[in-house]
Structures are given as C-alpha cells and as structure tokens.
Amino acid sequence: MKKLLIWGTGNFARKFMDNNFRAEGIIGFVETKRSKDMFMQKPVYGSHELQALEYDYIIIANSYGLEIYTLCIRLDIDMSKLIFLYGIPNRVGCTEDSVLKEILSEQIYDDYCIRFRLKPRLKRHPRQQGDDFVYEDAEKYRKLNKRPNFEIQEKYMYPIAKDKYEQAGTMDDYFWQDLWAAKLVYKSGVKTHFDIGSSIAGFIAHLLSMDIDVTVIDIREFPGEAEKLHTIVDDATYLRQIPDESIESMSALCSLEHFGLGRYGDPVDPEACFKCFDAIQKKMKKGGKLYISIPVGSERVEFNAHRIFYASTIIDCFSDMELQEFSCVEAGKIDHNVDIHKYDNNNIDDRTGLFYFVKK
C-alpha cells in the first residue's frame, strides 16, 4: 500500500477524505506552516519536515497549488511525487494515469480529468473510464421505455458519471456567511441596501429575492443586469461615490481584506483596507447597520491573497460603530456569538469572522 500525505487541512482536504475510498494509505497531513498537531486523527507536518519523511506521494488538496508548486521547487521536493488536484492551471507533478487511478477514488479521478481537460465535457464524447454504470442504466431504460419520442439515440448520448458521487450542493463558509447577513438585513426591514464587493450569485441574489434595492460597488466589471440591482464599477477605498451619513444599511462580505493588494487590479496600498474602514463609518447614518465578514485569526498578510485580522482589530478600527454580534464560520459550520479573542493565536487561514455593527 502506498504511503500518502495530504497537503492541506481545510475544506478541500476534508472533501478528499470524505470522497476517497482508499484513505487507509494516508499517513498524515501537511501545512505550509504547521498550526496544529493533529487533523482528522492523523499527524500534521510542516513543509520544512518533508525531507525527513518517508512517503510515496503527496496529494495537494487545497487551492494554493501555485504557491505550493513554487515552494516545493525551492525545497527541492521530488515533483514526480506531487499530485495537484486544485489551484494550478497546468498538469504538473505526477501525471502517470495508472498511479492516479490507483490512488484516487473514481469521483476524484474524474474531477481531476475534467479539470485538466483529459475528458472533454462535450456531447457525444466516446465511452470512458467511469461511464460504465451510465451505459448499464441506458440498457435498463431502453427495456422499460414505452414512449417513442423519448427513445435513446446514440447520437444524443451525453454520459455524465461524476454527478452520481456529488453531494446535493455545498454548504460551505460562503453559504453560511451569506445566509447570516441576508437574514439580518431582512429582519431590519430596510428597502435599500449598499454593498461592497460581495457575491452576486449568493448574498446579493438573496437580497434581490426579498425585493430590496441593492447598490453594489466593485472594481471589477459586472456580469449583467437584474431588476433592483444597481452597480458601480470603481475603486471603493474612499467611497467617494456616496454622500456622508447617507447609508442606513451596508455590507462587505469577504471583500475588504483584499483592498490594496493588487489582486483584483486595484492599486497596491498597504493602508487601503483601513482607509475603507474609515470611509464606511463616514458614510453610515446614525443607527445605520453594517454587516462585514473578514478572515480572522493570527494577524498577518498572505500576499497577494488577503489579510487575516484579529477580531479585536476590526472592532477597534470601527470605533464609531457598536458591535452587536461577532460570530465565526469554519469548515462549513457557523459558531454564533463567540469571544472576540477566541482565535487570536490560531494560524488556520480559512476561518471567517462575521461582524454586525450599528452606527453610534
């Protein structure tokens, strides 16, 4: 049996463990900077310990594939022992299909093939590995079908194997933060709302379904138009587009931590997010409600992805606001009304703090 390490201790790693049927070969997990001793009852190692470990392959099960690829080159890690599942544009590391099929479950191998275009997602593609049950089901369908218009024709065969193994959607951190904020906005009874860079498909869609007029400002172009959705394409650092003390309801979900890092084409400015914190408070009316989510934990910048803040830093920066609630989302679960210092010494980078403020 091959000895396997999983690089990652977040949602991707959990998904791999949940969906992989040969997980008994996993001897431990890897973090770039080790923040815990154990994860899912397995030991956790730091990247600097890899040279001393005995393993056959490392499965990269997180979204920082490019960063890990660069780090492994610097650490002189044998690239043929790395299996990249996410976060990297090209197929690198181990590319031996026989090894991948042996190590990965059918579902994860199918996802891997689709991600790197080894299996075309097109109609009428030829029969492939993992499609067998589709053709068996087709034979059953042919025997049972009594409707001529719905007979199976080979030219219209469109076999999809992966959905058999998928869960019914996802309830990830974005699901919980969007639901948390949307419920609070709805309960407030406002009819107009302002937002900075939150998810159009998630949180903003929730508000539009409640018949709330929403104005969203984002430095990126918007994908289209929708009733009651008003958009401003601009840098939101200073919120010059909005009069002072004019906003009664505002949100910024997983957006402010990116300001000034250049990730989205914005100007590089280490103070940009703090300038926006000040601008938000100037634009809020007395009694206005503010909903923000932002990564919390041991304070640092992970350039150019995002910043991570102490919860107390956010509260101090919004000194004109009174905190009504601080909750946290981690690994697809929400923890309501937690102590603001609970995660100060935690280096995990996938925890989201949820802050609900009211302008004093």
Side-chain angles (χ1 to χ4, degrees), residues 45-87:
Y45 305 98
S47 56
H48 64 283
E49 300 176 83
L50 290 177
Q51 295 286 15
L53 296 177
E54 292 185 7
Y55 59 88
D56 294 306
Y57 294 95
I58 303 176
I59 298 167
I60 315 301
N62 63 64
S63 59
Y64 297 101
L66 280 173
E67 292 85 345
I68 291 172
Y69 175 79
T70 303
L71 176 61
C72 287
I73 291 176
R74 193 164 70 243
L75 295 175
D76 198 27
I77 302 296
D78 184 351
M79 300 302 290
S80 68
K81 292 188 174 184
L82 302 182
I83 299 174
F84 290 87
L85 300 181
Y86 312 98

Short mmCIF file of all heavy atoms in Angstrom, two decimals, residues 45-87:
data_model
loop_
_atom_site.label_atom_id
_atom_site.label_comp_id
_atom_site.label_asym_id
_atom_site.label_seq_id
_atom_site.Cartn_x
_atom_site.Cartn_y
_atom_site.Cartn_z
N TYR A 45 2.26 17.75 9.61
CA TYR A 45 3.67 18.12 9.48
C TYR A 45 3.79 19.48 8.78
O TYR A 45 2.93 19.84 7.97
CB TYR A 45 4.42 17.07 8.66
CG TYR A 45 4.31 15.66 9.19
CD1 TYR A 45 3.38 14.77 8.65
CD2 TYR A 45 5.11 15.22 10.24
CE1 TYR A 45 3.26 13.47 9.14
CE2 TYR A 45 5.00 13.93 10.73
CZ TYR A 45 4.07 13.05 10.18
OH TYR A 45 3.96 11.79 10.67
N GLY A 46 4.84 20.20 9.09
CA GLY A 46 5.15 21.42 8.38
C GLY A 46 5.92 21.10 7.11
O GLY A 46 6.55 20.04 7.00
N SER A 47 5.88 22.02 6.14
CA SER A 47 6.55 21.77 4.86
C SER A 47 8.05 21.55 5.04
O SER A 47 8.68 20.81 4.28
CB SER A 47 6.30 22.93 3.90
OG SER A 47 6.72 24.16 4.47
N HIS A 48 8.64 22.17 6.05
CA HIS A 48 10.08 22.03 6.28
C HIS A 48 10.46 20.64 6.78
O HIS A 48 11.64 20.28 6.80
CB HIS A 48 10.56 23.07 7.30
CG HIS A 48 9.96 22.90 8.67
ND1 HIS A 48 8.67 23.28 8.96
CD2 HIS A 48 10.47 22.35 9.80
CE1 HIS A 48 8.41 22.99 10.23
NE2 HIS A 48 9.47 22.43 10.76
N GLU A 49 9.46 19.82 7.17
CA GLU A 49 9.73 18.47 7.67
C GLU A 49 9.68 17.41 6.57
O GLU A 49 9.99 16.24 6.83
CB GLU A 49 8.72 18.10 8.76
CG GLU A 49 8.72 19.03 9.97
CD GLU A 49 7.63 18.66 10.97
OE1 GLU A 49 7.88 17.75 11.78
OE2 GLU A 49 6.55 19.26 10.92
N LEU A 50 9.29 17.79 5.35
CA LEU A 50 9.05 16.79 4.31
C LEU A 50 10.29 16.00 3.94
O LEU A 50 10.21 14.80 3.65
CB LEU A 50 8.47 17.48 3.07
CG LEU A 50 7.05 18.00 3.20
CD1 LEU A 50 6.62 18.71 1.94
CD2 LEU A 50 6.09 16.85 3.51
N GLN A 51 11.45 16.65 3.92
CA GLN A 51 12.67 15.96 3.52
C GLN A 51 12.99 14.79 4.44
O GLN A 51 13.65 13.82 4.02
CB GLN A 51 13.85 16.94 3.49
CG GLN A 51 13.74 18.05 2.45
CD GLN A 51 13.99 17.54 1.04
OE1 GLN A 51 13.99 16.35 0.79
NE2 GLN A 51 14.21 18.46 0.11
N ALA A 52 12.53 14.84 5.66
CA ALA A 52 12.84 13.78 6.63
C ALA A 52 11.77 12.69 6.68
O ALA A 52 11.94 11.69 7.40
CB ALA A 52 13.02 14.39 8.03
N LEU A 53 10.69 12.85 5.94
CA LEU A 53 9.58 11.90 5.99
C LEU A 53 9.69 10.86 4.88
O LEU A 53 10.20 11.13 3.80
CB LEU A 53 8.25 12.64 5.86
CG LEU A 53 7.88 13.60 6.99
CD1 LEU A 53 6.58 14.31 6.67
CD2 LEU A 53 7.77 12.87 8.32
N GLU A 54 9.18 9.67 5.15
CA GLU A 54 9.08 8.62 4.14
C GLU A 54 7.66 8.56 3.62
O GLU A 54 6.73 8.31 4.39
CB GLU A 54 9.49 7.27 4.73
CG GLU A 54 10.96 7.17 5.10
CD GLU A 54 11.33 5.77 5.56
OE1 GLU A 54 10.46 4.86 5.46
OE2 GLU A 54 12.46 5.58 6.02
N TYR A 55 7.48 8.80 2.34
CA TYR A 55 6.15 8.77 1.72
C TYR A 55 6.32 8.44 0.24
O TYR A 55 7.42 8.54 -0.33
CB TYR A 55 5.46 10.13 1.86
CG TYR A 55 6.22 11.28 1.23
CD1 TYR A 55 6.03 11.61 -0.11
CD2 TYR A 55 7.14 12.02 1.97
CE1 TYR A 55 6.74 12.65 -0.69
CE2 TYR A 55 7.84 13.06 1.40
CZ TYR A 55 7.64 13.37 0.07
OH TYR A 55 8.34 14.40 -0.51
N ASP A 56 5.23 8.02 -0.38
CA ASP A 56 5.25 7.73 -1.81
C ASP A 56 4.75 8.91 -2.63
O ASP A 56 5.35 9.26 -3.65
CB ASP A 56 4.40 6.48 -2.11
CG ASP A 56 5.00 5.23 -1.50
OD1 ASP A 56 6.18 4.94 -1.78
OD2 ASP A 56 4.29 4.54 -0.74
N TYR A 57 3.65 9.53 -2.17
CA TYR A 57 3.09 10.66 -2.90
C TYR A 57 2.48 11.66 -1.92
O TYR A 57 2.03 11.29 -0.83
CB TYR A 57 2.01 10.21 -3.90
CG TYR A 57 2.56 9.36 -5.02
CD1 TYR A 57 2.54 7.97 -4.93
CD2 TYR A 57 3.12 9.96 -6.16
CE1 TYR A 57 3.07 7.19 -5.95
CE2 TYR A 57 3.65 9.19 -7.18
CZ TYR A 57 3.62 7.82 -7.07
OH TYR A 57 4.16 7.06 -8.08
N ILE A 58 2.48 12.92 -2.33
CA ILE A 58 1.78 13.97 -1.60
C ILE A 58 0.64 14.47 -2.48
O ILE A 58 0.87 14.88 -3.63
CB ILE A 58 2.71 15.15 -1.25
CG1 ILE A 58 3.92 14.68 -0.45
CG2 ILE A 58 1.94 16.21 -0.45
CD1 ILE A 58 4.93 15.78 -0.16
N ILE A 59 -0.57 14.46 -1.96
CA ILE A 59 -1.73 14.94 -2.70
C ILE A 59 -2.00 16.37 -2.26
O ILE A 59 -2.26 16.64 -1.08
CB ILE A 59 -2.95 14.05 -2.43
CG1 ILE A 59 -2.65 12.62 -2.91
CG2 ILE A 59 -4.19 14.59 -3.12
CD1 ILE A 59 -3.63 11.60 -2.42
N ILE A 60 -1.93 17.31 -3.20
CA ILE A 60 -2.15 18.72 -2.89
C ILE A 60 -3.65 18.98 -2.94
O ILE A 60 -4.25 19.14 -4.00
CB ILE A 60 -1.42 19.64 -3.89
CG1 ILE A 60 0.02 19.16 -4.13
CG2 ILE A 60 -1.43 21.09 -3.38
CD1 ILE A 60 0.89 19.07 -2.91
N ALA A 61 -4.27 19.03 -1.77
CA ALA A 61 -5.73 19.16 -1.67
C ALA A 61 -6.09 20.49 -1.05
O ALA A 61 -6.72 20.57 0.00
CB ALA A 61 -6.30 18.00 -0.85
N ASN A 62 -5.65 21.58 -1.69
CA ASN A 62 -6.10 22.91 -1.31
C ASN A 62 -5.96 23.81 -2.52
O ASN A 62 -5.50 23.39 -3.59
CB ASN A 62 -5.30 23.45 -0.11
CG ASN A 62 -3.83 23.63 -0.40
OD1 ASN A 62 -3.46 24.44 -1.24
ND2 ASN A 62 -2.99 22.88 0.29
N SER A 63 -6.39 25.07 -2.39
CA SER A 63 -6.48 25.97 -3.55
C SER A 63 -5.19 26.74 -3.82
O SER A 63 -5.15 27.58 -4.71
CB SER A 63 -7.63 26.97 -3.35
OG SER A 63 -7.43 27.73 -2.18
N TYR A 64 -4.12 26.45 -3.06
CA TYR A 64 -2.88 27.20 -3.22
C TYR A 64 -1.84 26.39 -4.00
O TYR A 64 -0.66 26.33 -3.63
CB TYR A 64 -2.33 27.62 -1.86
CG TYR A 64 -3.24 28.56 -1.11
CD1 TYR A 64 -4.06 28.09 -0.09
CD2 TYR A 64 -3.30 29.91 -1.45
CE1 TYR A 64 -4.92 28.95 0.59
CE2 TYR A 64 -4.15 30.77 -0.78
CZ TYR A 64 -4.96 30.29 0.24
OH TYR A 64 -5.80 31.14 0.90
N GLY A 65 -2.28 25.76 -5.08
CA GLY A 65 -1.40 24.90 -5.84
C GLY A 65 -0.17 25.59 -6.37
O GLY A 65 0.95 25.06 -6.28
N LEU A 66 -0.33 26.78 -6.93
CA LEU A 66 0.82 27.50 -7.50
C LEU A 66 1.84 27.85 -6.42
O LEU A 66 3.06 27.73 -6.64
CB LEU A 66 0.35 28.77 -8.21
CG LEU A 66 -0.21 28.60 -9.63
CD1 LEU A 66 -0.79 29.91 -10.14
CD2 LEU A 66 0.86 28.08 -10.58
N GLU A 67 1.36 28.29 -5.27
CA GLU A 67 2.25 28.65 -4.20
C GLU A 67 3.02 27.42 -3.71
O GLU A 67 4.23 27.48 -3.44
CB GLU A 67 1.47 29.29 -3.04
CG GLU A 67 0.88 30.65 -3.37
CD GLU A 67 -0.48 30.57 -4.06
OE1 GLU A 67 -0.84 29.48 -4.54
OE2 GLU A 67 -1.15 31.61 -4.10
N ILE A 68 2.32 26.30 -3.59
CA ILE A 68 2.97 25.07 -3.12
C ILE A 68 3.95 24.56 -4.17
O ILE A 68 5.05 24.07 -3.83
CB ILE A 68 1.90 24.01 -2.80
CG1 ILE A 68 1.11 24.46 -1.56
CG2 ILE A 68 2.53 22.64 -2.58
CD1 ILE A 68 -0.08 23.61 -1.24
N TYR A 69 3.59 24.67 -5.43
CA TYR A 69 4.49 24.27 -6.52
C TYR A 69 5.81 25.04 -6.42
O TYR A 69 6.90 24.46 -6.47
CB TYR A 69 3.81 24.54 -7.85
CG TYR A 69 4.68 24.29 -9.07
CD1 TYR A 69 4.88 23.00 -9.55
CD2 TYR A 69 5.28 25.34 -9.75
CE1 TYR A 69 5.67 22.76 -10.67
CE2 TYR A 69 6.06 25.11 -10.87
CZ TYR A 69 6.25 23.82 -11.32
OH TYR A 69 7.03 23.59 -12.43
N THR A 70 5.72 26.37 -6.24
CA THR A 70 6.91 27.21 -6.12
C THR A 70 7.72 26.85 -4.88
O THR A 70 8.95 26.76 -4.92
CB THR A 70 6.51 28.69 -6.08
OG1 THR A 70 5.75 29.01 -7.25
CG2 THR A 70 7.73 29.59 -6.02
N LEU A 71 7.03 26.62 -3.77
CA LEU A 71 7.70 26.28 -2.52
C LEU A 71 8.43 24.94 -2.64
O LEU A 71 9.58 24.80 -2.17
CB LEU A 71 6.69 26.21 -1.38
CG LEU A 71 7.21 25.76 -0.01
CD1 LEU A 71 8.29 26.71 0.50
CD2 LEU A 71 6.07 25.64 0.99
N CYS A 72 7.81 23.96 -3.29
CA CYS A 72 8.43 22.63 -3.42
C CYS A 72 9.68 22.68 -4.29
O CYS A 72 10.65 21.95 -4.05
CB CYS A 72 7.42 21.64 -3.98
SG CYS A 72 6.16 21.16 -2.79
N ILE A 73 9.67 23.54 -5.30
CA ILE A 73 10.88 23.72 -6.10
C ILE A 73 12.00 24.28 -5.22
O ILE A 73 13.15 23.82 -5.28
CB ILE A 73 10.60 24.65 -7.30
CG1 ILE A 73 9.67 23.95 -8.31
CG2 ILE A 73 11.90 25.08 -7.97
CD1 ILE A 73 9.26 24.82 -9.46
N ARG A 74 11.65 25.26 -4.39
CA ARG A 74 12.65 25.87 -3.51
C ARG A 74 13.18 24.88 -2.48
O ARG A 74 14.36 24.90 -2.11
CB ARG A 74 12.05 27.09 -2.82
CG ARG A 74 13.08 27.97 -2.13
CD ARG A 74 12.54 29.33 -1.79
NE ARG A 74 11.56 29.30 -0.73
CZ ARG A 74 10.30 29.66 -0.85
NH1 ARG A 74 9.84 30.06 -2.02
NH2 ARG A 74 9.47 29.60 0.19
N LEU A 75 12.30 23.96 -2.01
CA LEU A 75 12.69 22.97 -1.01
C LEU A 75 13.31 21.73 -1.64
O LEU A 75 13.69 20.80 -0.92
CB LEU A 75 11.47 22.56 -0.18
CG LEU A 75 10.83 23.64 0.70
CD1 LEU A 75 9.57 23.12 1.36
CD2 LEU A 75 11.81 24.14 1.75
N ASP A 76 13.39 21.71 -2.97
CA ASP A 76 13.96 20.57 -3.70
C ASP A 76 13.18 19.28 -3.45
O ASP A 76 13.75 18.20 -3.29
CB ASP A 76 15.43 20.38 -3.33
CG ASP A 76 16.17 19.53 -4.37
OD1 ASP A 76 15.74 19.53 -5.54
OD2 ASP A 76 17.16 18.87 -4.00
N ILE A 77 11.84 19.40 -3.43
CA ILE A 77 10.96 18.24 -3.28
C ILE A 77 10.83 17.55 -4.65
O ILE A 77 10.73 18.21 -5.68
CB ILE A 77 9.56 18.67 -2.78
CG1 ILE A 77 9.67 19.40 -1.44
CG2 ILE A 77 8.64 17.46 -2.66
CD1 ILE A 77 10.19 18.57 -0.31
N ASP A 78 10.83 16.23 -4.66
CA ASP A 78 10.69 15.46 -5.90
C ASP A 78 9.30 15.72 -6.48
O ASP A 78 8.29 15.27 -5.94
CB ASP A 78 10.86 13.98 -5.59
CG ASP A 78 10.82 13.11 -6.85
OD1 ASP A 78 10.48 13.64 -7.93
OD2 ASP A 78 11.12 11.90 -6.74
N MET A 79 9.22 16.46 -7.60
CA MET A 79 7.94 16.87 -8.17
C MET A 79 7.13 15.69 -8.69
O MET A 79 5.90 15.75 -8.76
CB MET A 79 8.16 17.88 -9.31
CG MET A 79 8.89 19.15 -8.89
SD MET A 79 8.04 20.05 -7.57
CE MET A 79 6.63 20.67 -8.47
N SER A 80 7.79 14.59 -9.03
CA SER A 80 7.05 13.43 -9.54
C SER A 80 6.23 12.76 -8.44
O SER A 80 5.39 11.90 -8.73
CB SER A 80 8.02 12.41 -10.14
OG SER A 80 8.85 11.83 -9.15
N LYS A 81 6.45 13.16 -7.18
CA LYS A 81 5.69 12.60 -6.07
C LYS A 81 4.53 13.50 -5.64
O LYS A 81 3.87 13.21 -4.65
CB LYS A 81 6.62 12.36 -4.87
CG LYS A 81 7.64 11.26 -5.10
CD LYS A 81 8.39 10.95 -3.82
CE LYS A 81 9.30 9.74 -3.99
NZ LYS A 81 9.97 9.37 -2.72
N LEU A 82 4.29 14.58 -6.39
CA LEU A 82 3.22 15.51 -6.04
C LEU A 82 2.03 15.32 -6.98
O LEU A 82 2.19 15.25 -8.20
CB LEU A 82 3.72 16.95 -6.13
CG LEU A 82 4.93 17.32 -5.27
CD1 LEU A 82 5.26 18.79 -5.45
CD2 LEU A 82 4.68 16.99 -3.81
N ILE A 83 0.84 15.26 -6.41
CA ILE A 83 -0.40 15.16 -7.19
C ILE A 83 -1.22 16.41 -6.90
O ILE A 83 -1.76 16.57 -5.80
CB ILE A 83 -1.19 13.89 -6.82
CG1 ILE A 83 -0.36 12.64 -7.13
CG2 ILE A 83 -2.52 13.85 -7.57
CD1 ILE A 83 -1.00 11.34 -6.66
N PHE A 84 -1.30 17.31 -7.88
CA PHE A 84 -2.02 18.57 -7.72
C PHE A 84 -3.47 18.39 -8.16
O PHE A 84 -3.74 18.05 -9.32
CB PHE A 84 -1.36 19.67 -8.56
CG PHE A 84 -0.02 20.12 -8.05
CD1 PHE A 84 1.13 19.46 -8.43
CD2 PHE A 84 0.08 21.18 -7.17
CE1 PHE A 84 2.38 19.86 -7.94
CE2 PHE A 84 1.31 21.60 -6.69
CZ PHE A 84 2.46 20.93 -7.08
N LEU A 85 -4.40 18.62 -7.24
CA LEU A 85 -5.82 18.48 -7.57
C LEU A 85 -6.48 19.81 -7.92
O LEU A 85 -7.41 19.85 -8.70
CB LEU A 85 -6.57 17.85 -6.38
CG LEU A 85 -6.12 16.46 -5.94
CD1 LEU A 85 -6.99 15.99 -4.79
CD2 LEU A 85 -6.18 15.47 -7.09
N TYR A 86 -6.02 20.92 -7.32
CA TYR A 86 -6.67 22.21 -7.48
C TYR A 86 -5.61 23.31 -7.58
O TYR A 86 -4.45 23.11 -7.28
CB TYR A 86 -7.59 22.54 -6.29
CG TYR A 86 -8.52 21.46 -5.87
CD1 TYR A 86 -8.22 20.62 -4.81
CD2 TYR A 86 -9.74 21.27 -6.53
CE1 TYR A 86 -9.10 19.61 -4.41
CE2 TYR A 86 -10.61 20.28 -6.14
CZ TYR A 86 -10.29 19.45 -5.08
OH TYR A 86 -11.15 18.47 -4.69
N GLY A 87 -6.06 24.49 -7.97
CA GLY A 87 -5.28 25.70 -7.80
C GLY A 87 -4.07 25.84 -8.69
O GLY A 87 -3.17 26.63 -8.38
#
